[in-house]
Amino acid sequence: MSEIISLVLPFFGLIILGFVVAKFTEQPDGAMGWLNIFIIYVSLPALFYKLLSNTPVEQFKRVDFLITTTLVTFFIFYLIFLVGWVIRRNNIGDSTIQGLAAAYGNIGYMGPGMALLAFGEVAAIPVALIFCIENILHFTVAPLLMAFRGGDDQANYGDLAKKVIKNIILHPFIIASFIGVIAAIYKIDLPDAADNIIDLLAQAAAPCALFAMGVTLALRAIKRIPIEIFYITPIKLAIYPALTYVALSFVGDFDPIWVQVAVLLASLPTATNVFVIGQQYDQWTERASACVLITTICSILTVSTWLWLFKSQTIPFDLFP
């Protein structure tokens, strides 16, 4: 268990450090702007490129892995969406953000660093594949459903489609992943100077991202705790990863590390992007912020538990060998 604590503590410690620093220093919200730009446009893309460009090409062919994890994510999203829309009588916009809160984990800021530290560089491929496909999913689903929420002007679906495609193909993480795959396929080696710069940027990705996440959480005070948090939190942190584990075991024949990485990513707390999307569409904004903070706090226990279950071999890597 001490191994798990020493593994998890640095990650959540950086979030806590960012949170404390933000609480005890008076800086305007805009002060985070350049750090976020560095993380999103420079350091994390460098990390994805570095990992993918050094990966054997044959590992990119596991379409069954992508289909399985994507179906589980879709199921969790639409389950919570329907609970909000049909049972709780929320509007489509609020129900969409609630679905994202349960299905959109912090796989960008927390995922790569934690997975690599826990499982080594072999975790790079499943992390990158899940990240790309889930971001495409969320970039597509959110604007499409928001177009049907009512109260807006008649949606121009041609413009909507262009916006969705633009958000996908121009996202820096996806561009970096695509270039990394091309570099792996054609065995492109960068000059030493460029390679060293990418190494430095990649090493800065996890600490900067986690510190920024802590600052962001500190700047968003919780004004009310939504009733939905009491079922979104256990579904996000426990049921979603458990369902991922069962589904991958049922399909079978995956590298144990891939299964563990998928479960770890599924167990991560709600992504801060959910708050950003809610703010963009003015839907469930304050409660999305509360959801991000509360799931992050609770995930200290749940992420540690999932890692312990695998590291101690308390549960097998495959339920259906």
Side-chain angles (χ1 to χ4, degrees):
M1 192 61 179
S2 60
E3 178 189 357
I4 303 302
I5 294 173
S6 61
L7 174 66
V8 172
L9 189 59
F11 284 88
F12 288 101
L14 283 168
I15 296 173
I16 294 169
L17 182 62
F19 186 91
V20 171
V21 168
K23 285 295 185 183
F24 285 93
T25 59
E26 294 186 5
Q27 297 291 333
D29 292 359
M32 281 291 294
W34 285 109
L35 179 58
N36 283 327
I37 288 174
F38 173 75
I39 294 165
I40 295 171
Y41 289 91
V42 183
S43 62
L44 280 172
L47 176 62
F48 280 112
Y49 172 83
K50 176 187 175 184
L51 296 176
L52 291 173
S53 64
N54 294 319
T55 300
V57 177
E58 61 272 10
Q59 294 191 32
F60 295 120
K61 300 177 181 178
R62 295 308 304 264
V63 178
D64 49 352
F65 177 81
L66 280 179
I67 292 174
T68 305
T69 55
T70 301
L71 287 176
V72 173
T73 302
F74 257 116
F75 175 79
I76 294 295
F77 173 83
Y78 281 111
L79 172 66
I80 300 303
F81 175 84
L82 290 173
V83 169
W85 188 37
V86 176
I87 298 177
R88 294 193 50 78
R89 304 291 184 181
N90 296 141
N91 61 45
I92 289 179
D94 283 354
S95 300
T96 299
I97 302 303
Q98 292 165 24
L100 290 174
Y104 195 175
N106 207 321
I107 54 177
Y109 277 18
M110 297 178 67
M114 187 170 285
L116 290 172
L117 187 59
F119 305 115
E121 291 200 356
V122 69
I125 290 298
V127 168
L129 291 177
I130 290 174
F131 179 87
C132 289
I133 200 68
E134 290 201 3
N135 272 287
I136 290 172
L137 166 67
H138 298 130
F139 292 159
T140 304
V141 167
L144 286 177
L145 286 176
M146 289 299 180
F148 293 99
R149 60 183 162 158
D152 295 333
D153 295 332
Q154 184 66 32
N156 184 323
Y157 294 108
D159 290 342
L160 177 63
K162 290 177 183 177
K163 181 179 179 181
V164 169
I165 294 171
K166 181 180 178 181
N167 285 341
I168 292 171
I169 65 176
L170 294 183
H171 192 286
F173 296 173
I174 293 176
I175 292 174
S177 298
F178 176 76
I179 296 174
V181 170
I182 295 299
I185 293 173
Y186 293 100
K187 295 181 171 55
I188 299 172
D189 292 324
L190 296 176
D192 288 344
D195 202 42
N196 290 336
I197 291 175
I198 288 175
D199 282 344
L200 288 172
L201 293 173
Q203 291 168 21
C208 289
L210 294 171
F211 182 85
M213 182 180 171
V215 173
T216 302
L217 292 174
L219 296 177
R220 295 173 187 157
I222 295 181
K223 296 181 179 178
R224 55 175 169 168
I225 296 178
I227 190 68
E228 294 87 356
I229 198 73
F230 294 103
Y231 60 83
I232 287 177
T233 299
I235 287 174
K236 176 69 197 77
L237 301 179
I239 293 177
Y240 181 15
L243 188 58
T244 299
Y245 171 57
V246 172
L248 289 172
S249 294
F250 180 77
V251 174
D253 195 30
F254 296 116
D255 187 307
I257 296 296
W258 284 44
V259 176
Q260 294 175 74
V261 168
V263 173
L264 174 63
L265 295 185
S267 72
L268 294 177
T270 302
T272 52
N273 277 354
V274 175
F275 167 79
V276 174
I277 295 171
Q279 197 172 44
Q280 178 184 354
Y281 292 102
D282 194 24
Q283 299 284 168
W284 216 63
T285 306
E286 292 178 4
R287 288 166 286 182
S289 179
C291 201
V292 172
L293 179 56
I294 291 170
T295 56
T296 299
I297 294 171
C298 294
S299 68
I300 297 175
L301 175 62
T302 57
V303 169
S304 301
T305 300
W306 282 111
L307 285 172
W308 175 77
L309 287 172
F310 282 122
K311 290 288 187 179
S312 64
Q313 299 185 13
T314 302
I315 59 175
F317 300 131
D318 191 341
L319 275 176
F320 311 107

